[in-house]
Amino acid sequence: MSSTSSTSVPAAPTAGTGRHLRGVLIALCVTEITSWGVLYYAFPVLSSAITTDTGWSTPAITAAFSAALVVAAIAGIPVGRWLDRRGPHLLMTAGSVLATGSVVGLAVAPSLAWFAAAWLVAGIAMSAVLYQPAFAALTRYYGPRHLTALTTLTLVAGLASTVFAPLTSALADHLDWRGVYLVLAAVLAAVTVPLHAFALRRPWPPPHDRPDAPGSTSPQVRHITRSKPFWMLAAALTLSAFAMYAGLMNLVPLLTERGASPAVAAWALGLGGVGQVAGRLGYGILVRRTSLRARTTGILGLSAATTAALAFLPGPVALLIAVAVLTGTARGIATLLQATAVSDRWGTTAYGSLSGILAAPVTIAGAIAPWAGAALASAFGGYPALFAALTAVTGLAVLLAISSIPTSTSRRPTAPANVERSPNEPSPSPQRTATGPQEKP
């Protein structure tokens, strides 16, 4: 079956090609590893040291961290509008500076209130330096070839925990948690500020599917965000994210309840990262061979199936580990599914604005999922019951996803992904629909 991916659209002139675009991609790969590593993955490594040194409770400092993710989700909406109009250069550079300041604020926090305030500032910085602006930058700069760039970015950025969790732990062997955060702030500033300042300093090209689009896309955004497909998509991805991250954070206690040792359960969690990489590597093939509806429901369906297997399979442990790897595969594909959800359905003209709105409830669901999952496991009397409930949540997401495809998208002709058009080959005229000219798949 042919794909409805946006990756085969004839390209409008862009700000650069070849090695120039590779420079943007390489820079964003490096800055995403660093930003995720410092702003996200360092905290779970340092949390026990923070509570031991300060006496602040683990729930209190975790709530501050979760609040940062909620702030990032809300701030992502105006960030998306900025990206559509002005591009990522100033935004991501200023975001890196703000992120550095917030990490320094964490390091010198004299009280829990100061610590929480620093995390709230970090949340604003996250909205400007993590995946959303990077996805928007690559989608616009790479035009019809953006799927390849997005896949590369998510594969490389997936190494953030691999690099920064051990690095943070090694630093903590020689410094207290405040000293570690100060070192990480210096790393964040030295790596991300200059790369964002120089690699992204290029003209912001027009959307490749609508090179004549006006600077303001507010009417189009309002039309789309009030439509049934958009809300079905938002609801499906939000429910799926909640189930996915609640399951991820409660996988180790589930496996130990099933008879695995803590060490084996931790290995199972780590092997899920291998599945995540495999899923992202295979996403391009999936795009070329499936329709948008089949791809969306199939990926969410895989998540539901693996969650159900973890809920109802009593063992053996080796089989549960294999299922955990498949769960990671679904999680890895889901990242790219969300990254391309807007461009696949409504083009790239208002990608930043629409992605910011779409990401807000998804990010909030991911932020509250770890706490909510643990609370539900306690209420339901165990982790198998929790995973059974999460299966139902993901099943509902699959049903909602069926209605997430705009009629105009489902009627568009399809073509293989990543097709590059010769500069001398004329581009077909854009198709006009109720939401304006749509990019051809």
Side-chain angles (χ1 to χ4, degrees):
M1 190 178 295
S2 298
S3 164
T4 56
S5 170
S6 62
T7 55
S8 59
V9 183
T14 60
T17 56
R19 65 185 180 87
H20 300 293
L21 287 182
R22 283 197 294 273
V24 172
L25 178 58
I26 291 170
L28 287 176
C29 285
V30 174
T31 61
E32 287 303 298
I33 285 179
T34 307
S35 297
W36 276 102
V38 174
L39 295 172
Y40 191 91
Y41 289 107
F43 173 73
V45 177
L46 296 175
S47 60
S48 61
I50 294 171
T51 57
T52 300
D53 178 58
T54 63
W56 306 333
S57 70
T58 298
I61 65 170
T62 303
F65 176 70
S66 295
L69 300 179
V70 173
V71 168
I74 297 170
I77 297 174
V79 161
R81 291 196 293 266
W82 175 286
L83 287 164
D84 282 336
R85 295 170 183 171
R86 303 184 184 180
H89 176 235
L90 179 59
L91 177 80
M92 297 192 78
T93 304
S96 292
V97 174
L98 184 63
T100 300
S102 69
V103 176
V104 172
L106 294 173
V108 301
S111 66
L112 179 59
W114 181 297
F115 184 82
W119 270 120
L120 295 180
V121 175
I124 298 173
M126 287 177 185
S127 71
V129 298
L130 296 185
Y131 270 152
Q132 181 190 336
F135 286 164
L138 294 181
T139 297
R140 185 74 71 89
Y141 280 132
Y142 271 79
R145 295 172 291 133
H146 66 269
L147 178 58
T148 301
L150 293 175
T151 302
T152 302
L153 178 67
T154 55
L155 284 171
V156 175
L159 298 173
S161 61
T162 305
V163 173
F164 275 87
L167 174 62
T168 302
S169 178
L171 289 171
D173 289 338
H174 303 281
L175 301 168
D176 65 6
W177 68 272
R178 296 180 187 276
V180 173
Y181 263 135
L182 287 174
V183 171
L184 292 178
V187 172
L188 188 66
V191 173
T192 66
V193 174
L195 284 176
H196 287 153
F198 293 105
L200 300 178
R201 192 175 182 179
R202 59 181 57 248
W204 187 230
H208 68 271
D209 50 344
R210 289 191 65 189
D212 58 342
S216 174
T217 57
S218 296
Q220 181 188 18
V221 170
R222 285 195 298 270
H223 179 87
I224 292 172
T225 55
R226 293 173 182 175
S227 66
K228 178 182 176 181
F230 185 86
W231 285 108
M232 292 297 101
L233 175 65
L237 293 180
T238 299
L239 291 174
S240 175
F242 176 85
M244 204 173 294
Y245 288 102
L248 174 67
M249 295 300 178
N250 291 281
L251 178 63
V252 169
L254 171 77
L255 293 179
T256 55
E257 194 170 299
R258 296 290 197 193
S261 68
V264 170
W267 269 103
L269 181 63
L271 289 173
V274 177
Q276 190 166 292
V277 170
R280 290 171 180 172
L281 283 172
Y283 187 72
I285 298 173
L286 192 65
V287 165
R288 291 192 292 272
R289 296 184 180 180
T290 62
S291 70
L292 180 55
R293 177 176 280 110
R295 184 161 66 252
T296 304
T297 56
I299 291 168
L300 298 183
L302 175 61
S303 181
T306 55
T307 304
L310 291 171
F312 299 111
L313 285 176
V317 171
L319 178 58
L320 293 175
I321 292 175
V323 174
V325 174
L326 282 177
T327 302
T329 301
R331 191 168 63 250
I333 302 175
T335 302
L336 286 170
L337 179 69
Q338 181 180 341
T340 57
V342 168
S343 56
D344 281 349
R345 289 164 173 80
W346 298 287
T348 61
T349 304
Y351 178 91
S353 298
L354 292 172
S355 292
I357 297 169
L358 182 66
V362 176
T363 304
I364 292 171
I368 67 173
W371 169 83
L376 289 173
S378 177
F380 293 156
Y383 292 97
L386 167 65
F387 277 74
L390 296 178
T391 300
V393 171
T394 313
L396 178 58
V398 175
L399 295 177
L400 294 173
I402 295 172
S403 301
S404 72
I405 313 300
T407 303
S408 58
T409 302
S410 63
R411 291 177 180 174
R412 281 185 266 162
T414 58
N418 299 323
V419 175
E420 297 186 45
R421 189 176 295 276
S422 167
N424 298 321
E425 185 178 348
S427 299
S429 301
Q431 302 292 317
R432 185 169 294 277
T433 69
T435 59
Q438 299 287 323
E439 59 181 337
K440 284 181 176 291

